[in-house]
Amino acid sequence: MAGAPTPSLLDQPVTALPGAGPVTAARLAERGLERIRDLLSFLPLGYEDFRTLYPLPALARLPEGQAVVVRARVARVRPFFRRLLDVYLEQDGVQMRARWFRPNAGMVKTYAKGSLVALAGILRRGKDGSPEIIHPRNVTALLLAQEASGTESGLGLRPRYPAVEKVPGRVIEKLVAAAVEQAAALVPDVLPEGVAKRLGLPSISEALREVHRPEASLPDDRLAELMAGQAPAQRRLALEDLFVVQVGLALERGRARRANGWHCDVDGEAALASVRAALPFVPTSAQERAIRTLYADLGSATPMQRLLQGDVGSGKTAVAFAAALLVARARGQSLLMAPTEVLAEQHGRTLASWGGKVGLRVAVLHAGLAAQERRRVLGGVAAGAIDLLVGTHALLEQGVRVLRLALAIVDEQHRFGVRQRVALRRVGGWIPDQKTGMVPHLLVLSATPIPRSLALTAYGDLDLVTLDQSPPGRQVVATQLCVGEAARREALAAVKAAVAAGGQGFVVCPAIVEQEQGESGRRASVLPRFRELGPLLAPARVGLLHGQMPSDKQQAVLAAFRAGKLDVLVATTVLEVGVDVPAASIIVIEDAERFGLAQLHQLRGRVGRGGQASSCFLLTGAQDPETLDRLAFVAATSDGFRIAEEDLRRRGPGEIYGENQTGLPGLWLRDPSGAAALVESARREAEALLAEDPALTSPEHAALRQTIEIRWLRRRPIAEEAG
Ligand code: ADP
Ligand code: MG
């Protein structure tokens, strides 16, 4: 077959479109929007309905947040230097304020008193309750043109795209519209023929057109579907995404099956004895069982595909350690990828101290590393002088070369995208290794059970092993639901008391900075909380930890906490994964309703690790029974698996495992069973296709092959990677 397909308009840079200069292009590129193809797959988050022209008096009856178009005369103009421009429109005795920040000089002229203008925007209410629009779009000319041409008035449905830093929404809208106009028809259909039709779904070109540029004449029920993320066009795009992932996974799986694993032909019992010698505790029988299972996998010549599932605190790290030790005995190297730097550091420290006793050489790699240290680590790994490299997704960066990669371990799997997980096995260009046909073993760690449909989406097939037992002496964390201000004060008093008794604790907030939150008021955020709690909890020493702090700062704070130099950490969800400080015995979670159930359970798992009685306070200002019921469930349940099931039942997997690979997140959220059915269809179709054409070599699958390379491998063609 001929080499690369002819480059089409789809592969042209966005600068090929009118209105995208080099500066805009650079900003778009940061968001991964480099080619016209990328713009087409940049899907709207929702839609604004600008189809109705509202008279000003009607605005009083509309809810805030409604998209509106108005046309009225300018009654008053109030510029505040260059900072602000207020324009008041009036119609039938009712006024509405339009406000622009940093207006340009020409605008004052545009809005001369008495002129008739049309504006479109999102309705808000000023302090006095009167209607206003911030930064409306001037649609005067547009409306006139429409009316002159006799088409329906109004502006139709406007897609709302995810924000791209420093690129105005209007520019994105224009560029995507141009991309759709010029290139949507060129997008190849990668679903096998008949699949879309059988499911009653449109072609990819039609689907893209409809999702980006919905018809203004859409009937209400169809519009509701679209808004809910369930329109046929959206299902089509989701199905395609799922299908591409499934085919990619199946290819990967086929390769792994045909390939060899690193054959650990060494004495497992001897290695297990070393593991026991290295660990500062006696492994539970569940841990030993899991280790033996992994040793059997690693001792076979086929690459392992294993998911190790175990509740928070069940001791998965020790099992991973044991696997890496066996591999090292067989002269192979291991990678362990963790989702945060804090966790990577912590694992690095723990594993190095265990490894030190039995000759396992451990190093850490993350983006916060100084250049010299980084070079040293990379050199060691490339030379085979490091047995286990622990890191964040920095492990996936170019430049990481592993001499004898035999085992890839992913911790807290749900925090990674499917592509990252696949990529970890490829570090150093190992899959499929051309010379040896070798594929690294894969071990995935998870505290949350994954339903079958999702496991299929995320991994294809994985064998499962479960840690069904916690280390001895673990106590159930006494969890209390606290509603309202008085209860909050009590919870904080409990923190103070715990500290006075020599304990340590956490206060968790959902956000970093204060954010205005529509109806529900302000949400707890870590910066103001930190300022507030310092004096409130005195003499307790209070520290601050959040993910936007420089990495060394985060490490320093955590180290101080570990060393007992801080009593309380006020933190964001950066705590959620893995942070292990056995002395901590109390955790307060503010605005608990903003967290998922599984997330709350993970957070709660930060305490009660040292065998002492521990407590958790779930604070909320929420009133609605559904929310309180949800929180009460977590408070009453200590079994992480049951909590995960409940979470899944209530919210759907898209929210929990919310990533692109689950198709459109909205679909999962609103229609989990429909989404699961889509996954199953995608899986079936993928299998049928590969049964026919296992390596996708037939010309009719060229487009699919290319799409997989583009989406799946992030534009590193398979050939390049293998070569
Ligand atoms: P998780 O499964 O959540 O990753 P970790 O591996 O972080 O759990 O283990 C939680 C804590 O329990 C750690 O402090 C770890 O050292 C400790 N631990 C693990 N296994 C045992 C054991 N068999 N006996 C006592 N403590 C253990
Ligand atoms: Mg862990």
Side-chain angles (χ1 to χ4, degrees):
M1 209 176 74
T6 34
S8 84
L9 190 56
L10 293 170
D11 291 311
Q12 298 284 317
V14 294
T15 46
L17 296 170
V23 176
T24 304
R27 288 172 181 162
L28 291 171
E30 299 227 324
R31 218 12 236 269
L33 304 172
E34 291 173 59
R35 310 182 196 201
I36 289 179
R37 170 192 297 289
D38 303 327
L39 286 177
L40 290 174
S41 45
F42 192 58
L43 300 182
L45 294 171
Y47 299 88
E48 278 148 9
D49 182 359
F50 287 110
R51 294 177 303 175
T52 317
L53 192 62
Y54 289 98
L56 294 190
L59 298 185
R61 292 190 305 273
L62 295 180
E64 247 189 309
Q66 162 101 44
V68 295
V69 187
V70 298
R71 176 157 53 187
R73 290 207 183 272
V74 175
R76 199 150 56 97
V77 184
R78 298 190 59 197
F80 297 91
F81 307 105
R82 286 289 180 76
R83 297 220 314 277
L84 197 65
L85 172 68
D86 279 349
V87 171
Y88 292 83
L89 302 189
E90 187 173 313
Q91 189 174 18
D92 299 331
V94 174
Q95 287 206 346
M96 185 205 85
R97 178 168 72 189
R99 167 169 279 189
W100 289 267
F101 297 101
R102 305 192 151 273
N104 59 41
M107 286 177 67
V108 177
K109 277 198 215 102
T110 313
Y111 297 102
K113 189 171 169 181
S115 56
L116 184 66
V117 297
L119 300 178
I122 303 301
L123 180 67
R124 296 168 50 108
R125 308 238 172 260
K127 288 211 173 64
D128 58 354
S130 57
E132 68 175 15
I133 303 181
I134 310 281
H135 275 268
R137 169 171 168 216
N138 188 328
V139 293
T140 316
L142 209 70
L143 275 194
L144 284 178
Q146 270 183 356
E147 281 164 13
S149 68
T151 49
E152 231 177 304
S153 79
L155 301 167
L157 296 167
R158 257 179 67 199
R160 190 161 44 78
Y161 291 98
V164 176
E165 209 170 330
K166 300 214 186 107
V167 184
R170 206 163 301 162
V171 171
I172 295 190
E173 226 176 283
K174 271 211 184 107
L175 289 176
V176 177
V180 171
E181 219 39 69
Q182 298 188 16
L186 304 176
V187 178
D189 250 311
V190 302
L191 282 184
E193 217 167 279
V195 174
K197 243 188 228 120
R198 202 155 61 237
L199 296 168
L201 301 176
S203 76
I204 187 74
S205 307
E206 284 168 71
L208 285 170
R209 199 171 280 282
E210 188 178 328
V211 164
H212 287 296
R213 322 215 56 193
E215 298 279 349
S217 58
L218 216 56
D220 281 349
D221 53 336
R222 298 274 314 278
L223 176 61
E225 250 180 15
L226 188 70
M227 298 269 199
Q230 292 187 46
Q234 291 161 318
R235 303 181 84 91
R236 171 68 173 80
L237 296 175
L239 178 66
E240 170 150 328
D241 200 28
L242 294 169
F243 176 75
V244 169
V245 169
Q246 286 301 320
V247 175
L249 275 171
L251 280 174
E252 208 64 54
R253 203 157 54 228
R255 269 186 210 129
R257 250 186 230 135
R258 286 190 301 276
N260 297 314
W262 190 276
H263 187 187
C264 298
D265 193 8
V266 291
D267 184 350
E269 284 307 313
L272 190 53
S274 296
V275 169
R276 291 198 198 98
L279 295 177
F281 43 73
V282 181
T284 61
S285 52
Q287 280 167 320
E288 292 223 353
R289 237 176 296 136
I291 292 170
R292 286 213 161 85
T293 307
L294 298 190
Y295 279 9
D297 291 352
L298 295 168
S300 110
T302 319
M304 171 169 85
Q305 313 244 52
R306 198 46 94 165
L307 169 63
L308 171 63
Q309 205 169 267
D311 204 351
V312 187
S314 59
K316 295 184 287 294
T317 317
V319 177
F321 169 77
L325 186 70
L326 187 82
V327 165
R329 291 277 152 97
R331 299 197 67 247
Q333 292 170 280
S334 304
L335 294 174
L336 189 161
M337 181 165 72
T340 63
E341 290 187 6
V342 165
L343 184 54
E345 277 285 344
Q346 179 187 286
H347 277 335
R349 197 179 17 247
T350 309
L351 294 166
S353 89
W354 297 347
K357 300 201 183 107
V358 288
L360 185 80
R361 297 162 298 179
V362 180
V364 181
L365 183 75
H366 58 69
L369 232 49
Q372 200 186 350
E373 176 67 3
R374 184 182 160 80
R375 266 199 305 278
R376 201 186 61 73
V377 169
L378 289 181
V381 175
I386 287 168
D387 301 312
L388 171 58
L389 179 63
V390 180
T392 55
H393 55 271
L395 292 175
L396 306 180
E397 277 158 24
Q398 305 243 322
V400 180
R401 285 277 170 273
V402 186
L403 188 61
R404 297 183 298 268
L405 179 57
L407 169 64
I409 308 171
V410 183
D411 193 16
E412 305 286 353
Q413 59 78 29
H414 63 284
R415 299 281 287 238
F416 291 102
V418 62
R419 293 164 183 90
Q420 287 171 307
R421 288 183 289 245
V422 169
L424 186 65
R425 260 183 157 182
R426 292 171 176 263
V427 168
W430 269 81
I431 285 203
D433 184 277
Q434 296 294 288
K435 280 170 252 132
T436 60
M438 188 86 72
V439 168
H441 300 289
L442 177 67
L443 174 61
V444 174
L445 310 184
S446 168
T448 358
I450 310 177
R452 186 183 136 76
S453 58
L454 264 162
L456 291 177
T457 324
Y459 306 104
D461 294 321
L462 283 182
D463 302 314
L464 179 71
V465 61
T466 305
L467 289 182
D468 50 9
Q469 179 188 20
S470 283
R474 280 294 150 74
Q475 311 227 356
V476 169
V477 179
T479 306
Q480 202 175 322
L481 178 56
C482 305
V483 187
E485 237 346 88
R488 173 164 186 263
R489 279 196 298 275
E490 272 170 41
L492 293 176
V495 174
K496 238 175 129 166
V499 171
Q504 287 181 298
F506 304 106
V507 177
V508 182
C509 305
I512 293 174
V513 286
E514 201 93 15
Q515 287 181 348
E516 201 95 43
Q517 263 307 100
E519 311 139 48
S520 61
R522 291 174 176 280
R523 63 158 123 162
S525 41
V526 76
L527 294 178
R529 277 298 183 264
F530 173 62
R531 275 180 240 120
E532 176 202 344
L533 291 177
L536 210 68
L537 295 176
R541 295 156 300 173
V542 181
L544 172 69
L545 181 70
H546 62 75
Q548 313 264 291
M549 283 163 48
S551 148
D552 50 344
K553 215 50 201 301
Q554 292 184 42
Q555 303 300 346
V557 169
L558 210 58
F561 187 69
R562 241 186 262 285
K565 295 189 183 120
L566 290 170
D567 303 306
V568 177
L569 280 189
V570 179
T572 55
T573 50
V574 69
L575 273 190
E576 177 188 338
V577 287
V579 167
D580 185 40
V581 183
S585 64
I586 185 164
I587 183 166
V588 173
I589 303 173
E590 303 237 27
D591 288 351
E593 78 280 359
R594 303 195 58 89
F595 297 96
L597 300 189
Q599 214 179 0
L600 289 172
H601 181 66
Q602 285 266 355
L603 283 168
R604 174 169 63 183
R606 297 312 116 214
V607 301
R609 300 184 150 233
Q612 73 277 43
S614 301
S615 46
C616 169
F617 295 88
L618 305 177
L619 307 190
T620 182
Q623 302 287 340
D624 70 294
E626 215 282 342
T627 304
L628 295 177
D629 186 49
R630 221 158 53 86
L631 295 176
F633 179 85
V634 175
T637 314
S638 59
D639 178 343
F641 283 19
R642 278 192 53 212
I643 290 176
E645 273 167 27
E646 182 70 11
D647 210 7
L648 211 57
R649 196 179 66 71
R650 286 176 188 256
R651 294 195 306 164
E655 267 291 288
I656 300 169
Y657 304 89
E659 286 170 0
N660 289 342
Q661 85 256 17
T662 51
L664 294 180
L667 187 63
W668 278 111
L669 189 57
R670 289 168 184 101
D671 179 17
S673 61
L678 266 191
V679 175
E680 293 287 352
S681 317
R683 160 107 173 157
R684 250 193 329 273
E685 299 298 345
E687 269 173 359
L689 179 86
L690 287 174
E692 222 173 85
D693 183 7
L696 296 187
T697 43
S698 99
E700 64 182 298
H701 296 141
L704 173 60
R705 203 183 145 80
Q706 195 201 7
T707 306
I708 290 173
E709 283 176 356
I710 290 167
R711 288 207 208 151
W712 186 253
L713 300 178
R714 287 270 153 92
R715 309 213 169 78
R716 252 192 299 160
I718 290 168
E720 184 189 308
E721 198 156 288

